[in-house]
Amino acid sequence: MALSSFFETCTPSTFSLSLFGAEIISIQASVITNYTADVDGGDRFTAPSISLQNASFCNVTVTYTHPGYEDGINTEAWLPVDNWNGRFLAHGGGGHRAGRFPLSTQGMAGAIHDGFATITTDAGLDFSQEVMVPWALLSPGNVNLHKLQNLASTSLNDLAAIGKSLIKSFYGRPPSYSYWNGCSQGGRQGLMLAQRYPTAFDGIAAAAPAIYWTETLFNIFWPEQVMRMLGEYPHMCELDAITAAAISKCDGLDGVTDGIVAEVDECRANFNPFDLVGTVIPCAQTHTNIPISRAAAAVANASWGGIVSPTGEQLWYGLSIDADLTCNGRSAGQLCVASTNCADGNCVPVRNPLGSQWIQHFVSKDSNFNLDNLTHEQFASLFRASQQQYTSIIGTSDPDLSEFKKAGGKMLTYHGVADGIIPLKHMEVYYRKVSEVVDGVQDFYRFFPVPGLGHCMGGYQQPTSLFAQLQAWVENGTAPESSPVSFSGPDGVVQNRIICPWPRKARFNSSCGDAAKAECWACLAPSNHGEPSLDEVREVKKGFKKGAKKGKASYSNLHPSSPGIQHQEL
Ligand SMILES: *[C@@H]1O[C@H](CO)[C@@H](O)[C@H](O)[C@H]1NC(C)=O
Ligand SMILES: *[C@@H]1O[C@H](CO)[C@@H](O)[C@H](O)[C@H]1NC(C)=O
Ligand SMILES: *[C@@H]1O[C@H](CO)[C@@H](O)[C@H](O)[C@H]1NC(C)=O
Ligand SMILES: *[C@@H]1O[C@H](CO)[C@@H](O)[C@H](O)[C@H]1NC(C)=O
Ligand SMILES: *[C@@H]1O[C@H](CO)[C@@H](O)[C@H](O)[C@H]1NC(C)=O
Ligand SMILES: *[C@@H]1O[C@H](CO)[C@@H](O)[C@H](O)[C@H]1NC(C)=O
Ligand SMILES: *[C@@H]1O[C@H](CO)[C@@H](O)[C@H](O)[C@H]1NC(C)=O
């Protein structure tokens, strides 16, 4: 079809749409020309930076409702008029948003650049106040479960069906292949699609997925809860100094000193933050030298250890030891778990709304619920209530991906090892569970931990080749055995590396000579010390109980060193 006729075809009457369970309210369509955008690879998660110049596409917005639910959902599709590659690529959301927000706009510009027809949905959620969730409560005490369900799952299947239908109407044929790309909330959406709508997409890039949703959101609040139980709010410089000490102590564990910790579990087992208590450090927040407090060590320790019950039982997994807890480092510009504000000399926690809003709006169901003085018992009880009420709706932790496998789907997940919001650990646990339930997981789903990378993006080793590799896997059957990444090392020299499908790890071949060359690295099976054990969950729990017996984890009566942590020279 000639270019001019695509322009003529871009009108609402071209698109006849019917969707089971939905009533279409309106379809808007208009040609957009001269669309220009520069998009960084980090904002595309799995694809390289691009510069889109003077693009033309048909912008189709479909508004629909699920009759009886009184919702109104907007999907926005961009259909290229002159360079369609025959394929479909849907974009996910972030934070508490389903999509149709600044990052999905960036992703869609990237998709248009590469010739994809692309789409995103707002799931019918009102986001007048950025990460706020004004849609959560119909009235005090009454959660809008239909909207939560739209965010969790329903809108995703709708999106796939609407996108495919618009493409067929516009180009006269369905897409040859359909893809999903998202990180965080968008990663969770990708996994929900594989779990619940296994035929919707052929290829899914689901990065740093916010699966185990209810536990993850409590985990985000946990460091603040610990500070409040202690009644002490450490300066960010103290936490930053602890993180920096851990990184510098453990950087070389993989045989290469490059500012990146590859062996985070070994590091955690051999690093005791309480050893640093009393060490005097220069503090950016006070402009003086101050000693690292015991509270700072306790907050770091709790952020790495994850949520524990009042009796010391581990309830959830913590962050890696190199995670940026304050957003002063690699996660600058994001929302961290242990930021404080000491502007008037009296430090207070900087609340991360992702966790607190979940607890307030969805679990206590009261937007005025005060989270300032929760006891450990109250916190643990809310944690359990959240699991009971919401895991089946939005937990997104079903490991049975057999239907997705049977449908021929392929999926890739990357997760920043230094993710400061969503623990790498939970991805290891999920992937291990999938491999226990479905045979041959590596044949359709591969998981790439990315050493040094924070949450979704952040300059270190962004895996921008993964999307093309997913396409090659779907379309040509070529599974990704590794993926190239690069970053600027401590001395400014560009380091070319590879990331590997878990549980394999990138190992430096020292006889090859140059750690800056990707060809001097290979993906090898984990050595015994790094091997993730299949019984890890149980072992961690046992270890915790043992420790708890000796001296129970009390936040008002801190012990100088934890019974579980060994001292060892590295
Ligand atoms: C938009 O692009 C067309 C060519 O597609 C060009 O003729 C026109 O001048 C451009 N308009 C603007 C405002 O840049
Ligand atoms: C984009 O359009 C502008 C305005 O029409 C023009 O000045 C510019 O050269 C165009 N860029 C490309 C890459 O075509
Ligand atoms: C596409 O159309 C919708 C509805 O009119 C509008 O809100 C949106 O901003 C448009 N997108 C672009 C890129 O212009
Ligand atoms: C440090 O964390 C470990 C593991 O999470 C925990 O067992 C221990 O009680 C903590 N130590 C202190 C003093 O809080
Ligand atoms: C919570 O505790 C703080 C002191 O830690 C106190 O100032 C405040 O009044 C308490 N708030 C409530 C609602 O109890
Ligand atoms: C599939 O393989 C062909 C032939 O090698 C190649 O031209 C094409 O780019 C590949 N497609 C993808 C998506 O990698
Ligand atoms: C390591 O590098 C050397 C020199 O380039 C090469 O001969 C050798 O095959 C490599 N070893 C492995 C295991 O890749």
PDB file of all heavy atoms in Angstrom, residues 471-472 475-476, ligand 6:
ATOM      1  N   GLN A 471      14.148 -11.506  19.759  1.00  0.00           N
ATOM      2  CA  GLN A 471      13.587 -11.642  18.411  1.00  0.00           C
ATOM      3  C   GLN A 471      14.230 -12.801  17.654  1.00  0.00           C
ATOM      4  O   GLN A 471      13.548 -13.570  16.983  1.00  0.00           O
ATOM      5  CB  GLN A 471      13.851 -10.347  17.640  1.00  0.00           C
ATOM      6  CG  GLN A 471      12.627  -9.496  17.461  1.00  0.00           C
ATOM      7  CD  GLN A 471      12.910  -8.385  16.479  1.00  0.00           C
ATOM      8  OE1 GLN A 471      13.567  -7.408  16.846  1.00  0.00           O
ATOM      9  NE2 GLN A 471      12.432  -8.522  15.255  1.00  0.00           N
ATOM     10  N   ALA A 472      15.552 -12.901  17.757  1.00  0.00           N
ATOM     11  CA  ALA A 472      16.255 -13.987  17.057  1.00  0.00           C
ATOM     12  C   ALA A 472      15.826 -15.345  17.613  1.00  0.00           C
ATOM     13  O   ALA A 472      15.731 -16.336  16.885  1.00  0.00           O
ATOM     14  CB  ALA A 472      17.766 -13.808  17.194  1.00  0.00           C
ATOM     15  N   GLU A 475      12.128 -15.825  16.317  1.00  0.00           N
ATOM     16  CA  GLU A 475      11.944 -15.909  14.866  1.00  0.00           C
ATOM     17  C   GLU A 475      12.882 -16.902  14.192  1.00  0.00           C
ATOM     18  O   GLU A 475      12.561 -17.454  13.145  1.00  0.00           O
ATOM     19  CB  GLU A 475      12.097 -14.507  14.255  1.00  0.00           C
ATOM     20  CG  GLU A 475      11.038 -13.551  14.822  1.00  0.00           C
ATOM     21  CD  GLU A 475      11.109 -12.141  14.269  1.00  0.00           C
ATOM     22  OE1 GLU A 475      11.704 -11.946  13.189  1.00  0.00           O
ATOM     23  OE2 GLU A 475      10.578 -11.230  14.919  1.00  0.00           O
ATOM     24  N   ASN A 476      14.073 -17.106  14.772  1.00  0.00           N
ATOM     25  CA  ASN A 476      15.044 -17.997  14.143  1.00  0.00           C
ATOM     26  C   ASN A 476      15.435 -19.170  15.027  1.00  0.00           C
ATOM     27  O   ASN A 476      16.260 -19.980  14.636  1.00  0.00           O
ATOM     28  CB  ASN A 476      16.340 -17.217  13.814  1.00  0.00           C
ATOM     29  CG  ASN A 476      16.158 -16.313  12.599  1.00  0.00           C
ATOM     30  OD1 ASN A 476      15.158 -16.400  11.903  1.00  0.00           O
ATOM     31  ND2 ASN A 476      17.128 -15.469  12.362  1.00  0.00           N
TER      32      ASN A 476
HETATM   33  C1  LIG B   6      17.080 -14.608  11.213  1.00  0.00           C
HETATM   34  O1  LIG B   6      18.100 -15.133  10.421  1.00  0.00           O
HETATM   35  C2  LIG B   6      18.252 -14.475   9.150  1.00  0.00           C
HETATM   36  C3  LIG B   6      19.269 -15.239   8.343  1.00  0.00           C
HETATM   37  O2  LIG B   6      20.454 -15.405   9.082  1.00  0.00           O
HETATM   38  C4  LIG B   6      18.654 -13.035   9.394  1.00  0.00           C
HETATM   39  O3  LIG B   6      18.759 -12.352   8.197  1.00  0.00           O
HETATM   40  C5  LIG B   6      17.606 -12.358  10.253  1.00  0.00           C
HETATM   41  O4  LIG B   6      18.014 -11.049  10.601  1.00  0.00           O
HETATM   42  C6  LIG B   6      17.358 -13.139  11.541  1.00  0.00           C
HETATM   43  N1  LIG B   6      16.237 -12.568  12.246  1.00  0.00           N
HETATM   44  C7  LIG B   6      16.328 -12.123  13.485  1.00  0.00           C
HETATM   45  C8  LIG B   6      15.101 -11.530  14.073  1.00  0.00           C
HETATM   46  O5  LIG B   6      17.355 -12.178  14.122  1.00  0.00           O
END
